[in-house]
Amino acid sequence: MRFASRMLVLQLVTQVCVVAACAAVFLVLGVQQLRAEAESSALNIARSVAAAPDVRRLVAEYSADPGTPAAAELRDGPLQEYAGAVTGRTDVLFVVITDDHGIRLAHPDPARLGEVVSTSFDDALAGREVVTWESGTLGESARAKVPVYGPDDAVSPVGEVSVGFERASVFRDLPTLVLGIAAAVLAALALGAIAALLLRRRLERVTLGVQPEELAALVQTQTAVLESSDDGIVAVDDAGVVRVWSDAATRMLGTAAEPGTPLRDVPVDDRVREALTAGAPSGIAVGDRIVYVDVRPVRRGPRGLGTAAVLRDRTDLLALTERLDGVRTLSDALRAQRHEFANRLRAASGLLDAGRTGEARDFLRDVSARGAVDARVEGLDAVADPVLQSFLGAMAETARERGVELRVGEATLLRSSLRDVEDTLAILGNLVGNAVTAAAAAGPASGSQPWVEVTLLDELDGSGGGELVLTVADSGGGIKDTAAVFAARVRSDTDASIHGLGIGLPLSRELARRRGGDVWVIEAGGSGEGAVFGARLPGVMSAGPDGSESEGKGDE
């Protein structure tokens, strides 16, 4: 049996027991009230008869006569008539009058006149009024016994008056009382059953038909999942009220929300609030973190319950991806260098095989002077580090495929070697990649080829380390909103000419700030001028192997 059904049965049984107990109490009280009313009426009637002057006088006379009065005399006597008249007026079972010896002077049954009463009359002769239930010659009755005093107000009673009500007459109103109680009981049970049914429906609607045992299992499962998972969980019902906000979500979003708090009152950015209820997965920048939000609608049967958002911190993963992209670009450049260097060695070998030793010597001298490959990047000789040389050469090849010229700025002065390759190449690759995209989207301006210019400067400190400062400028259309350029994209956008649509720039800034540096917009551009980005990366450079600075040559 389902819990709701058990609750319904339990409530009905409880109601029946309570109502039955109340009905029994009311019935007992009703019976006691009927008995008390009958006893009180009998006592009042008996007092009235005992106080009648004729009754007092006649009873005193019969008590003073030492003999026993004759039944024939009593049958037509005034006491019998008086008792019969009272019986007829009051609807009592009997009115019995006796002398001080218990001889019946008046009785409903004339045949019993002149006989001693069947019940005790000692209390009445002792001057006490008695109200009791007794069985006599006329059956069980509620009777009252009152002493009768003589007309001269004597202290000693001269007889008694006994008045009784038949049991049937006493409880004549009992069926009506029982019916009333029964009607009240049925009405109470009906109301209780209706309330129990409504409560059951409400319970099932609130709990979606899930039983308490299942609810306990759900709580255990939810607690285990939320505490064991690194993913954040945010559940919002169809009314926009937060129902689940895990600790992981608090860690990622930087704020906590108690269950029952409207989502609009949670202190988060509007982009975060929109992402938590949007229907499509999205990535957002929250502080210095990149959080991926996957929102799914929650339904049980045909009823929609709201949405559940799974939050995943992708900062480290995306940073690793950017670093791998930089390493991939570098490896492609090295592969190209290897291929070109192999070709030059074959050319030198061919000259030697042909006996053209002088030409081979001049060729090798030229190779030694220009480096292993012809990078065809203007100003690349100012970059002393071979890793940056190869990386910029590979980026130049990629840019050239898109019709964009990559060049090194005239102000470039890089005398030291690159120590932290991954973060540097990830940031430089992001900035150069975005600039190439913007320049290619803007197209040639005034007939000139789209271009991207990279300027690199280093500064060494006394400990042998140093920082790299770089700028990246392009010939694109500039930036319309510098405040949002480092904000991660929440929804799809086809305008690829605007910087910072994805997560590259927010991630680059995060990588730079982790090491105490920064990435910022120097010039927003616009009106035919491109944007200029700057970056400062402390601790990524180092002096040469001998502790001195490099000579600025590109053939290391």
Side-chain angles (χ1 to χ4, degrees), residues 305-328:
L305 304 179
T307 58
V310 180
L311 285 66
R312 300 181 178 90
D313 190 343
R314 289 292 183 259
T315 307
D316 295 334
L317 179 60
L318 293 174
L320 179 60
T321 301
E322 294 293 333
R323 291 168 180 166
L324 290 177
D325 288 341
V327 173
R328 186 181 298 110

Side-chain angles (χ1 to χ4, degrees), residues 119-141:
T119 58
S120 175
F121 53 89
D122 294 337
D123 289 330
L125 294 181
R128 294 188 294 271
E129 295 179 345
V130 179
V131 179
T132 183
W133 285 76
E134 291 181 334
S135 296
T137 57
L138 298 178
E140 185 181 7
S141 61

Side-chain angles (χ1 to χ4, degrees), residues 451-483:
W451 54 267
V452 173
E453 183 174 285
V454 181
T455 301
L456 303 169
L457 296 170
D458 63 352
E459 181 180 356
L460 294 176
D461 55 26
S463 62
E467 69 176 17
L468 174 65
V469 179
L470 60 94
T471 62
V472 179
D474 61 69
S475 61
I479 301 172
K480 297 178 181 179
D481 186 3
T482 58

